[in-house]
Amino acid sequence: MDTIVRIPAPLRSLTGGADEVVASGATVGEIVADLEVKHPGLRDRLLDAKGVRRFINIYVGEEDVRFTGGLETALKAGDQITIVPAIAGG
Amino acid sequence: MTMSARLVLAGSRVLVVGAGGLGCPAALALARSGVGTVGIVDDDLVELPNLHRQILFGEEDVGRPKVEAAAAALIRVVPELRVEPHVARMLPHNAVALASRYDVVVEASDNFPTKFLAADAARLARKAIVHGAAVRWHGTALAVGPNGGPCYRCLFEDLPRENAPNCAEAGVVGPVVGVVAAVQADLAISILRGEPVFGVLFTFDGLSLEARRRSIQGRAACALCGTPRSIQRIEASRYAVTRCDI
């Protein structure tokens, strides 16, 4: 199943500048794996050995995947994934 | 705004942490909105590359302490404002004392150690805090209540130790920090007026011009507002500068 993933500005250098990309998978983890195939380096920016990096938030719709099963969170048709990283600048 | 609301603001005290791209427009918006006392804490000097986004300063201010130049600029436009300039950094030894003296903290710093320190200090001082951040075209704002979560640590847990997304992405777009700072000032004023603005993460994308509000949840294991709460006091080692500090 294809899902739209919204890429925040700090990570767009890995998606050729695209603010939205499409990835395939039935779970958030599968989506991240497909993202890595299509945009090498992205996985490492999102995950570490324990799962989603502590300064990254991944939302499916309005839900933070930390509260919905993490990388095992199942996706349904029409879901949209948004990545919100911690940033420090001003 | 009603007279009673104006009086509430006139009697209010807001601390702005950082007199940079976020802090300058946030302080100006707070001052013009009628907040009675604005404290500003920063130990930097004005530099020429700051001027495109740090709107309280002009070329004549280059080399001056930022808080001194900011105070002068604010008084010029709002003569009745009380400005409390703190020529210092918010650091572990002074953070709680600084936060304790104000009703709301507007965290407008440009580095992760200060962001987490301000979050912890505001919680320990039982003060509301409004966080803001911007890198290039991406900005965020988050208001946290005086009694905790959902808080900054519920969202981001702890200082990035490696490979934070911002590390290679230094640089800030002036209008983006202006938008985020305006939202921060709006949130601070809303808090002072007793409005329920907590638990929402605001994000802004300056390229697509998309602004979003997203409800966030507290984490039961949060070190700052979970149970048990592991952060009971400020320990300097928690805020050691990482290589991601920009």
Side-chain angles (χ1 to χ4, degrees):
Chain A
M1 182 173 58
D2 285 349
T3 298
I4 292 175
V5 181
R6 304 177 62 81
I7 307 295
L11 296 179
R12 287 180 199 157
S13 59
L14 296 169
T15 61
D19 61 351
E20 278 185 9
V21 298
V22 174
S24 296
T27 64
V28 171
E30 291 179 15
I31 290 287
V32 173
D34 192 45
L35 285 174
E36 176 63 18
V37 172
K38 293 171 175 166
H39 309 284
L42 199 47
R43 180 188 184 285
D44 192 44
R45 302 292 286 272
L46 303 179
L47 310 182
D48 60 18
K50 295 178 182 171
V52 179
R53 287 184 182 275
R54 57 188 175 182
F55 50 83
I56 294 281
N57 287 276
I58 299 177
Y59 293 88
V60 174
E62 298 300 316
E63 297 294 326
D64 184 338
V65 300
R66 279 199 184 94
F67 302 101
T68 60
L71 296 175
E72 302 303 316
T73 301
L75 300 171
K76 59 183 187 303
D79 276 343
Q80 217 174 70
I81 292 179
T82 307
I83 299 164
V84 179
I87 55 172
Chain B
M1 201 179 289
T2 64
M3 182 56 74
S4 63
R6 285 176 184 274
L7 288 173
V8 167
L9 289 188
S12 298
R13 298 169 53 79
V14 177
L15 176 67
V16 178
V17 181
L22 293 168
C24 284
L28 183 60
L30 291 165
R32 284 189 181 267
S33 298
V35 169
T37 302
V38 174
I40 311 174
V41 55
D42 197 311
D43 69 344
D44 277 348
L45 305 178
V46 178
E47 298 178 35
L48 202 56
N50 300 152
L51 300 185
H52 77 285
R53 67 188 189 281
Q54 299 184 9
I55 59 173
L56 291 177
F57 312 136
E59 288 189 24
E60 67 279 10
D61 294 314
V62 171
R64 292 178 75 188
K66 283 186 175 179
V67 293
E68 182 185 296
L74 291 170
I75 293 295
R76 258 197 313 277
V77 293
V78 186
E80 65 273 25
L81 177 71
R82 289 180 299 279
V83 185
E84 296 179 350
H86 304 279
V87 185
R89 284 181 76 86
M90 178 176 262
L91 291 171
H93 75 271
N94 64 9
V96 174
L98 275 168
S100 298
R101 295 172 54 188
Y102 294 87
D103 301 311
V104 176
V105 177
V106 171
E107 183 273 297
S109 70
D110 64 356
N111 63 86
F112 284 117
T114 306
K115 289 182 181 298
F116 282 92
L117 173 61
D120 297 350
R123 176 73 178 93
L124 294 175
R126 294 194 174 277
K127 302 293 181 177
I129 182 167
V130 183
H131 296 280
V135 172
R136 291 198 172 179
W137 300 94
H138 181 68
T140 61
L142 169 70
V144 180
N147 295 315
C151 75
Y152 192 74
R153 283 189 183 273
C154 290
L155 261 183
F156 299 124
E157 296 191 43
D158 206 351
L159 275 76
R161 300 290 176 192
E162 74 295 308
N163 203 21
N166 67 310
C167 290
E169 301 288 344
V172 181
V173 177
V176 173
V177 283
V179 169
V180 174
V183 171
Q184 286 187 272
D186 180 288
L187 289 169
I189 290 165
S190 297
I191 292 167
L192 293 169
R193 297 184 56 179
E195 304 287 344
V197 294
F198 307 121
V200 175
L201 176 66
F202 170 86
T203 61
F204 177 71
D205 185 320
L207 284 176
S208 65
L209 296 182
E210 183 181 79
R212 295 193 70 165
R213 296 173 76 256
R214 186 181 306 281
S215 296
I216 61 169
Q217 301 178 49
R219 277 188 312 114
C222 175
L224 191 56
C225 61
T227 305
R229 178 157 58 101
S230 60
I231 297 177
Q232 299 283 353
R233 61 191 178 88
I234 299 293
E235 295 174 19
S237 59
R238 279 188 189 277
Y239 315 100
V241 174
T242 70
R243 71 178 183 85
C244 299
D245 187 21
I246 60 171

